[in-house]
Every structure is written in C-alpha cells, then in structure tokens.
Amino acid sequence: MKNSSLTICLSIGYPLKNSKSPAIHNAGYRALGLQAEYAFLPAQVRPENLEKTINGLKDLGIRGVSVTMPYKEEVMKYLDEIDSVALKIGAVNTIVNRNGKLTGYNTDWKGALVALEKKTKVDGKKVAVIGAGGAARAIVYALVKNGAEVKIFNRSVDKAEELAHEFGCEFGDLDSLSEVVSSDIIINTTSVGMNEDLSLVDESFLNKRQIVFDIVYTPKETRLIKTAKEKGAQVIYGYEMLLYQGIEQFKMYTEMEAPAEEMEKALLESL
Ligand code: ATR
C-alpha cells in the first residue's frame, strides 16, 4: 500500500528525544515547495518493536528512515540489502525503500568529510581521532579513504587498537593525548562535552595551526570548541556533520538537490 499523495520519511531511535532530522528535512521540503508532497516525522521505537517496525515500512510505503541511537547496527539484520560502505563501517544510519526493497546506507562518514573539506583537504594531514565507537568508525573510514594519516586515541585502548588494526592506523590511550599538539586536525568523537562543560583535550595541546572538530552538537559551543577558538584554532561544529549527513539523506529520499542553506538555518534554530 503506497499513499500516492504523500511521501513519508521517519527518524527512529530509542529514546528519541530531540531528533533534529525532522526539522532539517521538513525545512528542505518547504524550501523546494514540496511540503504538501513530503513529510518527515519522528517515531520512537521500543527495542522489542524494531523488527516489526522495519518490516512494516514496506506495507506502509515509507520512503526512507533515518536511524539513530541505539539501532544503527541492529537494524542491519532486518534489511534486504546493505551498501558496501555501510558494511565496512558496520553501521546503517539511512534506509531507502525502493519499490518494497529496503537498502541500508551510511551517510555519517560523508557528513564528516564534507564538514572537514569546507576547511581543508584531508589528504596527507595528520589527524587525531579521539574515541573508538560507532561515530569514530565512520569518521576513520572517511579519513583513511581520503589519504589522511590517522591516530586513534581511546579510553579503552583495546578498542582503539582493534579499530586502528582494521583501518590501518596508529592508536594510543588517553594518557598519550598530549601528542595531539603536533596534529593538523583533532576530532572528538566521544560524548564528552555533551550537556557538560568538559573536554578531554587540555588547552596546552591546542594551537592556531590546528583544525579542531567536535562532533558533539549540544551545546553548539562545547568546552573543546571554546578552548580551540581561544587558542586561535579553526573549528568545525558538530552540527555541521549532522547537517551534511542529512543533506546526503535528503538527496537519496527525494532524488533532488538539497537546499542546504535553508536546512542549515532550521537546524541552527532547533539547537
Ligand atoms: P558512538 O556510536 O556515539 O560513537 P559509542 O559507540 O558508545 O558511541 O562510543 C562512545 C565513545 O566515547 C567510546 O570511544 C568511549 O570510550 P570507551 O571505548 O573507553 O568506552 C568514549 N567515551 C564515552 N564517555 C567517555 C568518557 N567519559 N571519557 C572518555 N571517553 C569516553
């Protein structure tokens, strides 16, 4: 059953508080005059209902789903097909329904790469990635694919080692974080700084030659971002990665170019 007049997309997660995807996508539809044809809605899905929900997408004719915490890995087992990059990253944040066939993609890596490339090419750059979770996997994939020299620093050093081994990078623990002073780019992929005035990176490790990227977007100005600015470094905000990964999704769901400026404005207003 496909509702012929309205194309519906969802964001799913649990708990799904403050998902920014509806604001970003609906702003895009409005900017293109498509608000009567497309709608993007938040749908909180309890863990015991995930499989049923994914199977139900076909019957309901849902066009696409933005998958967020904690389902980016689990959702993979309920899809018909998974794109090779999402397989390599090991996570799906985007589902597209084409004539009843569900395909999983990952747009997080692209979001991070576009955000970085607004400031610099990553080829040949020395990059410190802090954290070794799901977000780090997508970012390390983007960096290595584009020729960066990556070192992963993580609290649990065994996780850093595993990720570094898989992608051909170096690794270290958080006690060796002072090394980042010589990095061209520093990326925080941990949740440290989210709704708290804390940073893993001491101000003495930061300087004006660096680009500092914090993927945390609440608050917009994290402790790390504030300190980096004080030290004269260039900064990349977490909301930028969120915006550009959403723009990639928008293109897949609508098969149209995304109105980036209007989507960015809506995202900033929702923060
Ligand atoms: P995500 O999918 O958002 O990346 P995740 O897979 O749970 O989330 O990964 C969280 C990352 O943040 C991990 O690298 C975690 O370190 P550990 O592997 O040691 O758990 C890191 N992290 C979270 N809280 C942290 C803290 N207080 N100090 C240092 N690292 C932290």
Side-chain angles (χ1 to χ4, degrees), residues 69 72-73 130-136 153-157 159 174 189-192 196 200 215:
M69 297 266 284
K72 289 185 184 184
E73 289 165 34
I130 306 169
F153 297 86
N154 197 46
R155 178 175 61 182
S156 317
V157 74
K159 276 174 70 185
L174 295 184
T189 75
T190 76
S191 52
V192 176
E196 57 183 9
L200 293 170
I215 75 157

Short mmCIF file of all heavy atoms in Angstrom, two decimals, residues 69 72-73 130-136 153-157 159 174 189-192 196 200 215, ligand 1:
data_model
loop_
_atom_site.label_atom_id
_atom_site.label_comp_id
_atom_site.label_asym_id
_atom_site.label_seq_id
_atom_site.Cartn_x
_atom_site.Cartn_y
_atom_site.Cartn_z
N MET A 69 20.57 6.34 17.47
CA MET A 69 20.87 5.52 18.63
C MET A 69 19.62 4.83 19.18
O MET A 69 18.61 5.51 19.29
CB MET A 69 21.45 6.39 19.76
CG MET A 69 22.75 7.03 19.39
SD MET A 69 24.11 6.03 19.93
CE MET A 69 24.12 6.39 21.67
N LYS A 72 21.73 1.67 15.01
CA LYS A 72 22.49 1.73 13.74
C LYS A 72 23.12 0.39 13.35
O LYS A 72 23.38 0.16 12.18
CB LYS A 72 23.57 2.81 13.82
CG LYS A 72 23.02 4.23 13.81
CD LYS A 72 24.14 5.25 13.76
CE LYS A 72 23.59 6.66 13.86
NZ LYS A 72 24.64 7.69 13.73
N GLU A 73 23.40 -0.46 14.32
CA GLU A 73 23.96 -1.77 13.99
C GLU A 73 22.86 -2.83 13.88
O GLU A 73 22.80 -3.59 12.92
CB GLU A 73 25.00 -2.19 15.05
CG GLU A 73 26.26 -1.36 14.94
CD GLU A 73 27.15 -1.46 16.16
OE1 GLU A 73 27.21 -2.55 16.77
OE2 GLU A 73 27.79 -0.44 16.49
N ILE A 130 39.71 11.07 18.58
CA ILE A 130 39.53 10.68 19.99
C ILE A 130 38.21 9.93 20.10
O ILE A 130 37.16 10.45 19.73
CB ILE A 130 39.55 11.93 20.90
CG1 ILE A 130 40.83 12.73 20.64
CG2 ILE A 130 39.44 11.51 22.36
CD1 ILE A 130 40.83 14.10 21.28
N GLY A 131 38.31 8.68 20.60
CA GLY A 131 37.14 7.81 20.68
C GLY A 131 37.24 6.70 19.66
O GLY A 131 37.92 6.85 18.63
N ALA A 132 36.59 5.58 19.95
CA ALA A 132 36.66 4.42 19.05
C ALA A 132 35.31 3.73 18.94
O ALA A 132 35.23 2.53 18.70
CB ALA A 132 37.74 3.45 19.54
N GLY A 133 34.22 4.48 19.08
CA GLY A 133 32.87 3.92 18.98
C GLY A 133 32.35 3.99 17.55
O GLY A 133 33.12 4.10 16.59
N GLY A 134 31.04 3.94 17.41
CA GLY A 134 30.41 3.92 16.09
C GLY A 134 30.70 5.16 15.27
O GLY A 134 30.98 5.08 14.07
N ALA A 135 30.64 6.33 15.91
CA ALA A 135 30.89 7.58 15.17
C ALA A 135 32.34 7.61 14.69
O ALA A 135 32.62 8.01 13.56
CB ALA A 135 30.59 8.78 16.06
N ALA A 136 33.24 7.16 15.54
CA ALA A 136 34.66 7.12 15.16
C ALA A 136 34.87 6.21 13.95
O ALA A 136 35.64 6.54 13.05
CB ALA A 136 35.51 6.64 16.34
N PHE A 153 42.85 7.67 19.55
CA PHE A 153 43.09 7.68 21.00
C PHE A 153 41.80 7.29 21.69
O PHE A 153 40.75 7.90 21.43
CB PHE A 153 43.49 9.08 21.46
CG PHE A 153 44.79 9.58 20.87
CD1 PHE A 153 44.80 10.20 19.64
CD2 PHE A 153 45.99 9.42 21.56
CE1 PHE A 153 46.01 10.67 19.09
CE2 PHE A 153 47.19 9.87 21.02
CZ PHE A 153 47.20 10.50 19.77
N ASN A 154 41.86 6.32 22.58
CA ASN A 154 40.61 5.93 23.27
C ASN A 154 40.88 5.54 24.72
O ASN A 154 41.95 5.05 25.06
CB ASN A 154 39.93 4.77 22.55
CG ASN A 154 38.47 4.60 22.96
OD1 ASN A 154 37.73 5.59 23.04
ND2 ASN A 154 38.06 3.38 23.24
N ARG A 155 39.86 5.79 25.57
CA ARG A 155 39.94 5.41 26.99
C ARG A 155 40.22 3.92 27.11
O ARG A 155 41.15 3.51 27.79
CB ARG A 155 38.60 5.79 27.66
CG ARG A 155 38.51 5.42 29.11
CD ARG A 155 37.21 5.93 29.69
NE ARG A 155 36.03 5.36 29.02
CZ ARG A 155 34.78 5.69 29.31
NH1 ARG A 155 34.53 6.59 30.26
NH2 ARG A 155 33.77 5.12 28.68
N SER A 156 39.42 3.09 26.42
CA SER A 156 39.69 1.64 26.39
C SER A 156 40.62 1.39 25.21
O SER A 156 40.18 1.36 24.06
CB SER A 156 38.40 0.85 26.17
OG SER A 156 37.37 1.38 26.95
N VAL A 157 41.87 1.20 25.50
CA VAL A 157 42.87 1.16 24.43
C VAL A 157 42.70 -0.05 23.51
O VAL A 157 43.02 0.01 22.33
CB VAL A 157 44.30 1.27 25.03
CG1 VAL A 157 44.72 -0.03 25.69
CG2 VAL A 157 45.29 1.70 23.96
N LYS A 159 39.94 -1.13 22.30
CA LYS A 159 39.01 -0.74 21.22
C LYS A 159 39.71 0.12 20.18
O LYS A 159 39.46 0.00 18.97
CB LYS A 159 37.80 -0.01 21.79
CG LYS A 159 36.73 -0.97 22.29
CD LYS A 159 35.58 -0.25 22.99
CE LYS A 159 34.70 0.56 22.06
NZ LYS A 159 33.66 1.31 22.83
N LEU A 174 44.38 7.52 26.37
CA LEU A 174 44.16 8.95 26.63
C LEU A 174 45.33 9.59 27.38
O LEU A 174 45.49 10.81 27.35
CB LEU A 174 42.84 9.16 27.39
CG LEU A 174 41.56 8.78 26.63
CD1 LEU A 174 40.32 9.13 27.47
CD2 LEU A 174 41.48 9.46 25.27
N THR A 189 35.24 12.38 18.92
CA THR A 189 34.06 11.58 18.54
C THR A 189 33.38 10.99 19.77
O THR A 189 32.46 10.20 19.63
CB THR A 189 34.44 10.42 17.59
OG1 THR A 189 35.10 9.39 18.34
CG2 THR A 189 35.36 10.88 16.47
N THR A 190 33.88 11.32 20.97
CA THR A 190 33.24 10.80 22.19
C THR A 190 32.09 11.71 22.57
O THR A 190 31.91 12.79 22.01
CB THR A 190 34.23 10.75 23.38
OG1 THR A 190 34.43 12.08 23.89
CG2 THR A 190 35.56 10.13 22.99
N SER A 191 31.32 11.27 23.56
CA SER A 191 30.20 12.10 24.03
C SER A 191 30.64 13.11 25.09
O SER A 191 29.81 13.87 25.61
CB SER A 191 29.11 11.18 24.59
OG SER A 191 29.69 10.30 25.54
N VAL A 192 31.94 13.14 25.39
CA VAL A 192 32.40 14.07 26.43
C VAL A 192 32.21 15.51 25.93
O VAL A 192 32.66 15.86 24.84
CB VAL A 192 33.89 13.81 26.79
CG1 VAL A 192 34.39 14.85 27.79
CG2 VAL A 192 34.05 12.40 27.36
N GLU A 196 27.65 19.20 29.12
CA GLU A 196 28.55 19.36 30.28
C GLU A 196 29.75 20.17 29.81
O GLU A 196 30.15 20.10 28.65
CB GLU A 196 29.01 17.98 30.82
CG GLU A 196 29.69 17.15 29.74
CD GLU A 196 30.12 15.75 30.15
OE1 GLU A 196 29.75 15.30 31.24
OE2 GLU A 196 30.87 15.14 29.37
N LEU A 200 38.21 16.46 26.85
CA LEU A 200 39.32 15.52 27.09
C LEU A 200 40.66 16.15 26.69
O LEU A 200 41.72 15.65 27.06
CB LEU A 200 39.11 14.23 26.29
CG LEU A 200 37.92 13.36 26.71
CD1 LEU A 200 37.67 12.25 25.70
CD2 LEU A 200 38.16 12.76 28.11
N ILE A 215 32.33 16.49 17.36
CA ILE A 215 31.06 16.01 16.78
C ILE A 215 29.87 16.23 17.72
O ILE A 215 28.74 16.09 17.31
CB ILE A 215 31.13 14.54 16.31
CG1 ILE A 215 31.10 13.56 17.47
CG2 ILE A 215 32.32 14.29 15.39
CD1 ILE A 215 30.62 12.18 17.04
P1 ATR B 1 29.01 6.45 19.34
O1 ATR B 1 28.28 5.43 18.50
O2 ATR B 1 28.26 7.74 19.50
O3 ATR B 1 30.40 6.67 18.88
P2 ATR B 1 29.78 4.61 21.41
O4 ATR B 1 29.94 3.55 20.37
O5 ATR B 1 29.11 4.27 22.69
O6 ATR B 1 29.02 5.87 20.82
O7 ATR B 1 31.25 5.21 21.71
C1 ATR B 1 31.47 6.15 22.67
C2 ATR B 1 32.95 6.57 22.65
O8 ATR B 1 33.12 7.61 23.59
C3 ATR B 1 33.90 5.45 23.08
O9 ATR B 1 35.13 5.63 22.41
C4 ATR B 1 34.06 5.73 24.58
O10 ATR B 1 35.25 5.24 25.16
P3 ATR B 1 35.36 3.70 25.65
O11 ATR B 1 35.53 2.87 24.41
O12 ATR B 1 36.53 3.67 26.54
O13 ATR B 1 34.06 3.41 26.37
C5 ATR B 1 34.07 7.23 24.58
N1 ATR B 1 33.70 7.83 25.87
C6 ATR B 1 32.44 7.96 26.37
N2 ATR B 1 32.48 8.58 27.58
C7 ATR B 1 33.79 8.85 27.84
C8 ATR B 1 34.48 9.48 28.93
N3 ATR B 1 33.82 9.96 29.98
N4 ATR B 1 35.82 9.58 28.84
C9 ATR B 1 36.50 9.11 27.77
N5 ATR B 1 35.90 8.51 26.71
C10 ATR B 1 34.56 8.37 26.74
#
